[in-house]
Amino acid sequence: MDCVEQKDTEANAPSVVDRYYTRWYRADLKGKTCEDHCILQHSNRICVITLAHTHPILQDGRIIKSINYQISNGCSRLNNKVSGKSKRGGQFLTDFAPLCRITCTDETEYTIYSCIRGRLLEVNENILETPNLLLEKPSTEGYIAVILPKFEESKSITENLLSREEFESIVAKRTVDQSQPT
Amino acid sequence: MLPLKEKDKPIVQKLLSAGCCARCVLRFCCVSVQAAYRKPPQDTLNELQAFISSTENPKTQDSASPPEDPPSKRAKLEAGPSEEDAAAAVKLKDEESRVCVVCLGILQDLCGPAQALKVSETVKAEKYEFDTLVLSVSLPAQLCVREHSCWLHVKKELREKSIAVDRDDLIQVKEAFKWIMQGLVAKELGGVAVVTRVGDRNEEEKELFNATTCSDCFKPTKNKQSVFTRMAVVKALEKIADAKFLKHYPSPPAQPTSSCIPQDVQCLHMSVFVAGRYNKFCRSLPQTPWVIDGERRMESSVEELIAAPVLSSFRSDGFNFSSSGREDVDVRTLGNGRPFAMELLNPHRSRLSRAEMKQLQETINKSSDKIRVRDLQIVTREAMSRMKEGEEEKTKSYTALIWTLKPIQREDITFIDDIKDLTLDQKTPLRVLHRRALAVRQRVIHSMNTRFLDSHHFYLGLKTQAGTYIKEFVHGDFGRTKPNLCELLRTDTDILELDVESVDVDWPPSIPE
Ligand SMILES: [Zn+2]
């Protein structure tokens, strides 16, 4: 293996997300049209849950009124605390555990789900202060939560998810369907 | 003369009758004079027999068992050779060849010049360099049971005679073995640790424990083949009531049919520690072997490239590598390099001269152009800890090649040069979060400097507190490091290359070329 250093000074270097993460998707979550979620899986199995760029919140110049991690009277994702290397104490989430509810100024409300099984490591408190992060940088600084799948499930959790290609073909089909008169 | 007192007489008598070897008799009489154990065992036996028969109290003869025959004994000692004497000698020989009921032969045939020679030859065959020698012996667990049984036997006698003896004053088999063997082995050699292990012989003691209620002492453990470990047996013997023990096991212990079998001789040299600094010139070389899902990702690693020639020079079995921090697989380490140290396990060679160390360093450097080593030297274990000391307070210097999303001009980045002691709040980076605790750590960037390249690229030099995650400072890690370079420049930024320019730890001392 030689060690010649290639200086890539072109501006087309892949982004941080593309370099280290694999994009997975769930489309039309809970049967609700276009409520697509994106799961960024790092090579170390950690997953970052974000809105897919097709999510209704990110369309038509919507403005976010509030983001609520209190998903029921008894449970707030903001109370999640993990300790130690083994991340003791984190809430364990199943595929369709709600992470938060987002309300827009037009009074539409959306629930964001965990999408995968795993331990909740953290939620993004920055979007509470600056909801615009969600609109401006949905796949980085506007992330919703970080989840650590079980070690033995790190491969199987993506079986139920859509690959980037599969998701894009669904989105393309959607556009065709919409453009056809009903 | 044996250092025995009149009160020991009945004990000696009892032990010999039970089938104890001469050295075990000494042990149970708490004889702590090492020289007594080093005498040939038959001489000791003769003395013991002379001792018990020389008594003014003839009553002892009543309790004597067949093997002892004091009158003929005395005849042998007092008179010259005779037929009677020859018969006694045969009888003696018989007794000698009988395996001791307590030590199972360990203090008999397995403890003498022949065994010492065997141990020494094993050590010699491995061609060690050494100055001092430590001998240790690993004994089968069943010996504890026999020892306990024999102790109960003696205790009864002591109690009848109202003699107070603390069991801790007895000499242990291990102790006696070392007293006899250490000198013999050392005479043959000079100074390496020798471990002599003596193996199991039969199952009778296990049956004892299966029959009793000590089962809680014998819980199977993950990495032990047998539940009857020495520790478990010792613990069980401490717990078991005398009466219960005697119900399941004879006291004194029964005559064994064969002696212990020596298993093997293991040699171990104390670790040698080697330190130095390394450069890493390659962006596809991990510091340690990189294994994901049991599969190797890169064909080599910094530690392997350094270790291979070192291991062969010291003829060492293995190593533990440590360094002052570590760089990612795609990061180079330039400048004076990163301090490292390695513990060499069981080195057969331990003394390398300054010139030989220099030669070794050259061998490493010639073997690969991906790394380079300097200041290679032998250090002490204590000195090694200096590398990790105050690691947090040390500074590190880096150069990063930065990409910006928005086009930049020369003057857009100059303000960065004026930023001093910028404190970052860094959440544990996502890329290491799977193996480290989640926390927010404060780290300081002491200073930065920039070198403009083109409208999307510049070099960023950083001098930081050790432990600062540079990549995350540049791309922000999903906004989890604050402030970050994206915020400072109000555009997305990314890191294309990273070099460690210096690791400011003043250990190990530099060696002038
Ligand atoms: Zn013995």
Side-chain angles (χ1 to χ4, degrees), chain A residues 1-3 5-17 19-21 40 42-46 48 50 82-87 121-126 133 137 139-143 146 148 151 154-155, chain B residues 281-285 292-293 298-300 330 332 369-370 401 403-404 427-438 453-454 456-457 459 471 475 477-480 482 484 486-487 491-497:
Chain A
M1 183 171 55
D2 68 17
C3 227
E5 307 298 348
Q6 288 263 320
K7 281 212 178 72
D8 180 13
T9 46
E10 298 304 310
N12 56 9
S15 72
V16 172
V17 168
R19 259 185 293 156
Y20 302 115
Y21 296 83
L40 301 173
H42 195 277
S43 51
N44 69 12
R45 90 176 188 271
I46 278 181
V48 182
T50 74
V82 293
S83 63
K85 287 178 186 174
S86 57
K87 316 294 185 297
L121 297 191
E122 66 178 49
V123 296
N124 187 359
E125 295 185 33
N126 293 335
L133 285 175
K137 300 191 165 179
S139 66
T140 55
E141 287 186 55
Y143 72 98
V146 178
L148 180 66
F151 184 78
S154 58
K155 291 274 188 311
Chain B
F281 300 121
C282 183
R283 294 199 193 280
S284 54
L285 182 70
I292 298 177
D293 296 337
M298 300 273 181
E299 64 187 65
S300 191
D330 55 351
R332 298 189 302 179
D369 52 9
K370 295 176 188 175
L401 176 59
W403 168 86
T404 62
K427 276 194 184 132
T428 308
L430 291 172
R431 72 185 153 99
V432 299
L433 187 56
H434 61 301
R435 55 185 162 89
R436 297 211 185 132
L438 177 60
L453 269 181
D454 60 45
H456 286 282
H457 298 88
Y459 278 112
K471 288 176 176 175
H475 61 59
D477 197 26
F478 292 72
R480 298 169 73 263
K482 289 204 168 242
N484 54 59
C486 306
E487 283 177 1
T491 179
D492 284 1
T493 59
D494 198 0
I495 185 163
L496 303 182
E497 287 175 4

Side-chain angles (χ1 to χ4, degrees), chain B residues 72-264:
Chain B
S72 68
K73 197 87 247 344
R74 195 180 286 159
K76 189 210 167 199
L77 291 171
E78 286 166 0
S82 68
E83 284 206 355
E84 202 190 19
D85 204 33
V90 169
K91 203 164 197 184
L92 262 177
K93 196 131 203 146
D94 232 39
E95 278 164 27
E96 280 158 34
S97 61
R98 212 169 59 173
V99 177
C100 172
V101 295
V102 184
C103 69
L104 297 174
I106 286 162
L107 296 179
Q108 296 172 299
D109 291 345
L110 299 177
C111 194
Q115 195 61 28
L117 191 66
K118 231 169 113 184
V119 169
S120 310
E121 273 164 4
T122 312
V123 178
K124 277 180 190 160
E126 297 212 29
K127 294 192 170 63
Y128 277 102
E129 271 182 6
F130 58 87
D131 301 310
T132 56
L133 166 96
V134 176
L135 178 78
S136 43
V137 59
S138 159
L139 300 171
Q142 54 170 288
L143 233 58
C144 306
V145 181
R146 287 184 168 268
E147 185 90 359
H148 189 70
S149 158
C150 194
W151 163 247
L152 294 184
H153 185 59
V154 168
K155 199 163 92 171
K156 211 170 102 209
E157 180 73 26
L158 290 171
R159 195 166 290 155
E160 278 165 17
K161 300 270 179 335
S162 326
I163 306 170
V165 172
D166 188 346
R167 193 175 168 181
D168 292 340
D169 291 337
L170 302 192
I171 306 301
Q172 295 191 4
V173 177
K174 220 174 218 185
E175 225 27 53
F177 181 90
K178 283 195 261 182
W179 287 347
I180 301 159
M181 289 288 280
Q182 193 133 5
L184 294 172
V185 174
K187 214 195 273 174
E188 297 282 339
L189 295 166
V192 61
V194 182
V195 183
T196 307
R197 296 205 304 179
V198 180
D200 265 298
R201 194 185 46 85
N202 57 37
E203 301 285 307
E204 66 202 57
E205 284 75 16
K206 290 177 188 173
E207 279 157 26
L208 161 75
F209 288 112
N210 289 338
T212 64
T213 53
C214 287
S215 56
D216 58 323
C217 294
F218 299 104
K219 293 209 178 87
T221 52
K222 262 185 271 172
N223 38 20
K224 292 272 161 58
Q225 287 176 331
S226 162
V227 294
F228 294 97
T229 61
R230 202 181 162 79
M231 283 295 285
V233 170
V234 168
K235 226 176 106 193
L237 288 173
E238 277 170 11
K239 282 173 97 173
I240 193 168
D242 291 356
K244 194 175 203 174
F245 180 89
L246 293 171
K247 221 161 90 191
H248 294 281
Y249 199 83
S251 176
Q255 178 62 46
T257 47
S258 61
S259 67
C260 281
I261 303 151
Q263 263 185 350
D264 58 358

Side-chain angles (χ1 to χ4, degrees), chain B residues 29-43:
Chain B
C29 290
C30 306
V31 173
S32 59
V33 180
Q34 297 191 16
Y37 293 86
R38 296 200 187 106
K39 281 191 201 168
Q42 67 270 29
D43 290 3

